[in-house]
Amino acid sequence: MLITFEGIDGSGKTTQLRLLKEYLEERGRKVIAIREPGGTVFSENIRELLLYSEENISPRAELLLFESARAHLVETLIKPAIEEGSIVLCDRFYDSTMAYQGYGRGIPLEEVKSCNMTATGGLVPTLTFYLKLDLDESRQRAKYRQHDRIEQSGNDFFERVIEGFAKIAEAEPRRIIVIDASGSIGATSIAIRNHVKRIL
Ligand code: T5A
């Protein structure tokens, strides 16, 4: 089973993924928690390039780097883990590419979709939580951190990303659960657990 967490930077994905992992492990489930881009040595190296390159990266080069990191992660870690019965929790997956590179950077959505398909081999998450938070609140939460290359993309970019996530969620209401992430960490966690309980 693959469960993914999506949302803009600082929406609480990492926090909620950690809490869900604890909850599932307490119930005896084998859980693998990973992040995108990353999760393997190769994909973490690509993450470094993507987030900390001092040279500007062109939108299509950026798209292909995310997909390359994903292709390796899916083949070497996610698919084998699912096959052995683990629950894989992934901090971001291909919906982020659609939102950031498609809606955010303006690469035609059909192109992004096709690249996502190539990278995942058609793997679709069982469930996706979209942690919905407005830009002001997300900036507030992330204000004491150093911002990476993508986080420096500006408010217009992030407004397009937020609009993109809304459209992506609207198109697949069975897979993508929209969670109001503006409440407390505890309230958000309970909302997520209640959905997960239904599919265990
Ligand atoms: N990207 C990624 C693409 O452009 N295309 C792609 O295909 C993919 C896969 C990755 C970057 O790459 C981009 C998106 C990103 O810009 P990242 O660091 O992995 O970068 O992702 P971020 O989303 O930036 O990770 P963050 O750690 O910033 O955000 P999270 O994980 O959403 O938030 P979290 O849990 O770390 O929380 C942030 C802060 O808020 C607090 C936490 O304690 C923490 O301090 N917090 C709350 N505070 C109040 N109330 C709550 N409910 C809170 N929940 C958390």
Side-chain angles (χ1 to χ4, degrees):
M1 184 189 301
L2 171 63
I3 299 176
T4 59
F5 290 75
E6 297 284 3
I8 52 167
D9 305 62
S11 55
K13 300 175 304 300
T14 312
T15 305
Q16 293 303 328
L17 187 149
R18 182 177 49 77
L19 291 172
L20 183 61
K21 180 174 190 283
E22 284 170 15
Y23 172 80
L24 291 169
E25 284 177 341
E26 279 163 14
R27 274 145 194 82
R29 307 299 292 247
K30 187 159 178 229
V31 182
I32 303 217
I34 43 177
R35 65 177 181 181
E36 270 228 63
T40 69
V41 174
F42 176 79
S43 303
E44 289 288 336
N45 284 336
I46 296 180
R47 178 187 179 92
E48 279 297 306
L49 270 177
L50 277 163
L51 301 189
Y52 303 108
S53 164
E54 283 174 12
E55 189 181 353
N56 206 16
I57 302 177
S58 76
R60 279 185 171 76
E62 182 180 272
L63 168 68
L64 294 173
L65 282 173
F66 277 114
E67 300 294 13
S68 180
R70 177 169 303 133
H72 186 70
L73 179 69
V74 167
E75 275 308 315
T76 64
L77 204 156
I78 298 182
K79 279 188 179 167
I82 293 173
E83 275 159 25
E84 66 161 41
S86 296
I87 299 178
V88 179
L89 304 180
C90 195
D91 193 340
R92 298 190 181 280
F93 201 46
Y94 62 73
D95 296 311
S96 279
T97 320
M98 196 56 103
Y100 282 75
Q101 281 63 53
Y103 288 94
R105 298 281 192 232
I107 298 175
L109 301 182
E110 281 308 313
E111 268 184 53
V112 178
K113 198 172 172 182
S114 156
C115 289
N116 280 342
M117 177 62 93
T118 303
T120 59
L123 178 68
V124 176
T126 317
L127 205 56
T128 296
F129 292 107
Y130 165 42
L131 302 191
K132 188 177 172 199
L133 193 66
D134 67 35
L135 192 53
D136 286 348
E137 180 62 24
S138 80
R139 293 261 191 242
Q140 191 62 23
R141 287 185 189 176
K143 74 178 173 188
Y144 297 113
R145 283 188 336 194
Q146 201 191 344
H147 293 300
D148 62 45
R149 189 184 62 83
I150 292 176
E151 283 169 332
Q152 290 165 12
S153 297
N155 286 358
D156 289 351
F157 172 80
F158 279 101
E159 291 295 1
R160 290 196 298 276
V161 171
I162 289 173
E163 200 186 313
F165 272 128
K167 288 188 178 149
I168 294 163
E170 203 181 293
E172 282 186 78
R174 287 173 68 87
R175 172 174 69 88
I176 305 178
I177 312 291
V178 181
I179 299 283
D180 174 6
S182 66
S184 69
I185 291 176
T188 309
S189 169
I190 288 169
I192 289 172
R193 279 178 199 181
N194 286 340
H195 285 285
V196 171
K197 278 180 198 161
R198 288 191 292 115
I199 59 160
L200 285 179

